[in-house]
Amino acid sequence: MKRNDFEWVYTDQPHTQRRKEMLAKYPEIKSLMGPDPNLKWIVCGMVLTQTISCFLVKDLSWKWIIFWAYAFGGAINHSLTLAIHDISHNVAFGNKLAKWNRLFAMFANLPIGMPYSASFKKYHIDHHRYLGGNDLDVDIPTEIEGWFFCTPFRKTIWLFLQPLFYALRPLYVNPKPITRLEVLNAVVQFAYDFLIYYLWGLKPIVYLIAGSLLCMGIHPISGHFIAEHYMFLKGHETYSYYGSLNWITFNVGYHVEHHDFPSIPGSKLPLVKQIAPEYYDNLPQHSSWVRVLWDFVFDDSIGPYSRIKRECKLVKDD
């Protein structure tokens, strides 16, 4: 049966209470919090790989540009967006060096081709603080998306256009003033793009941007967008995935664990599950991101409306 509205609840998100219980029972989890010393080197390797790839693809035909953008470069770029996700929680250099994390996120942003990291940080904090919050959590589709993209064909189009919706939805749902970091992010990004264009022409730019757009749309890795919070089982709003794609996505599949402990880097999230398996083993989980995409498209009961929403009170920052 097709949904005609979101799943409205009148309870707080479950992660806050579970975090308190787990820390009381397993205080050693606190030792997992803090920076990941390997993250910055992994990201540097990925940025270097994509920059070298720009040189390698400069003389390829257009069909091979698109092929390698989808099959290789886009996967790296999507992984870099998830590195930026980790960095947004200050796990590259720690909370005491927050500005270094912001600047390093801009560096990780370079192969993506479009400025992204500063805006993501600005809205992602709301996603954790106000999970499912009406007009606050911009990860949730709009009413128009839920109403229109309700058939297999339309849901396929929605998946393909997902990068566009993620970029434009915040401007409609919860617009915020442009920050200096966003301006700096754009200047740094366009300087890198211009340098690549000046050195090797248009094809490497298309390779980078097409890879980002294609692999954030219909691609096995992009299944995590749907798997994380779309309600496949009534009453459950966050799901984990423990499969092999976590190896190239900074363990973003450990998503229940991540929302329970956002300050723990992705590389250490499996240890949370090992320490406290009774909190996770019996929760519903996904076994395949490709299957998630298939079910999203062809199961009438799942669509953009399949999200839990709640009214949240604004928290004032000090």
Side-chain angles (χ1 to χ4, degrees):
M1 180 181 296
K2 293 181 181 178
R3 299 187 62 92
N4 56 19
D5 196 2
F6 299 101
E7 182 81 4
W8 286 90
V9 299
Y10 304 94
T11 56
D12 292 334
Q13 60 165 294
H15 302 286
T16 305
Q17 182 59 35
R18 183 161 53 233
R19 183 185 309 123
K20 292 178 180 179
E21 291 181 9
M22 292 178 67
L23 287 175
K25 187 174 182 179
Y26 299 107
E28 63 267 31
I29 289 178
K30 290 183 179 180
S31 67
L32 303 178
M33 300 175 183
D36 175 359
N38 296 318
L39 178 60
K40 55 184 175 292
W41 305 116
I42 296 171
V43 168
C44 286
M46 295 169 73
V47 173
L48 178 61
T49 297
Q50 280 294 73
T51 303
I52 293 173
S53 296
C54 286
F55 169 75
L56 296 176
V57 304
K58 65 184 178 65
D59 296 320
L60 294 180
S61 65
W62 284 110
K63 67 178 180 180
W64 286 110
I65 292 287
I66 299 302
F67 172 81
W68 286 113
Y70 185 81
F72 179 74
I76 295 179
N77 283 3
H78 196 137
S79 185
L80 280 169
T81 67
L82 298 172
I84 290 170
H85 165 258
D86 239 17
I87 297 166
S88 73
H89 293 285
N90 293 335
V91 301
F93 296 97
N95 290 321
K96 293 181 179 179
L97 297 174
K99 184 174 289 187
W100 286 36
N101 287 283
R102 303 291 80 75
L103 295 176
F104 188 63
M106 294 180 195
F107 172 74
N109 194 151
L110 294 178
I112 296 171
M114 301 163 287
Y116 162 82
S117 64
S119 298
F120 176 81
K121 166 65 177 178
K122 182 172 68 174
Y123 283 101
H124 189 62
I125 189 172
D126 286 346
H127 171 61
H128 279 272
R129 182 179 290 174
Y130 308 113
L131 180 64
N134 187 37
D135 294 334
L136 293 171
D137 184 357
V138 298
D139 187 63
I140 296 179
T142 61
E143 186 76 32
I144 295 174
E145 292 171 71
W147 168 77
F148 183 76
F149 296 101
C150 59
T151 66
F153 176 74
R154 292 180 186 179
K155 286 190 283 186
T156 301
I157 298 299
W158 185 83
L159 288 174
F160 185 77
L161 296 177
Q162 203 165 198
L164 181 66
F165 287 118
Y166 266 87
L168 299 180
R169 192 185 298 139
L171 305 179
Y172 173 77
V173 175
N174 187 17
K176 295 184 178 184
I178 295 175
T179 66
R180 291 182 179 180
L181 280 175
E182 286 177 291
V183 174
L184 179 61
N185 188 190
V187 169
V188 170
Q189 184 61 56
F190 293 137
Y192 175 84
D193 292 348
F194 177 78
L195 178 62
I196 295 295
Y197 175 78
Y198 177 78
L199 291 174
W200 301 313
L202 179 63
K203 287 182 177 179
I205 298 296
V206 174
Y207 163 78
L208 293 177
I209 296 178
S212 298
L213 294 176
L214 291 172
C215 287
M216 291 178 69
I218 299 179
H219 190 276
I221 296 177
S222 70
H224 80 87
F225 287 125
I226 306 301
E228 291 166 358
H229 296 293
Y230 282 76
M231 193 180 67
F232 282 72
L233 187 63
K234 187 175 179 64
H236 293 271
E237 59 185 311
T238 309
Y239 302 77
S240 284
Y241 155 82
Y242 301 119
S244 58
L245 287 177
N246 279 302
W247 285 92
I248 59 172
T249 56
F250 297 93
N251 283 331
V252 74
Y254 287 76
H255 214 67
V256 177
E257 293 85 344
H258 170 63
H259 272 264
D260 287 347
F261 301 100
S263 57
I264 294 178
S267 61
K268 296 180 181 179
L269 288 175
L271 296 177
V272 175
K273 188 174 184 294
Q274 289 180 23
I275 291 172
E278 70 273 21
Y279 283 93
Y280 301 107
D281 286 349
N282 295 321
L283 293 178
Q285 58 188 250
H286 293 292
S287 59
S288 167
W289 282 340
V290 174
R291 178 60 187 268
V292 165
L293 293 174
W294 178 273
D295 289 345
F296 180 83
V297 170
F298 293 106
D299 188 334
D300 286 342
S301 67
I302 304 171
Y305 267 141
S306 301
R307 291 293 298 266
I308 286 179
K309 292 187 76 172
R310 55 174 57 85
E311 296 291 348
C312 294
K313 294 181 180 180
L314 283 172
V315 176
K316 293 184 178 180
D317 293 316
D318 294 332

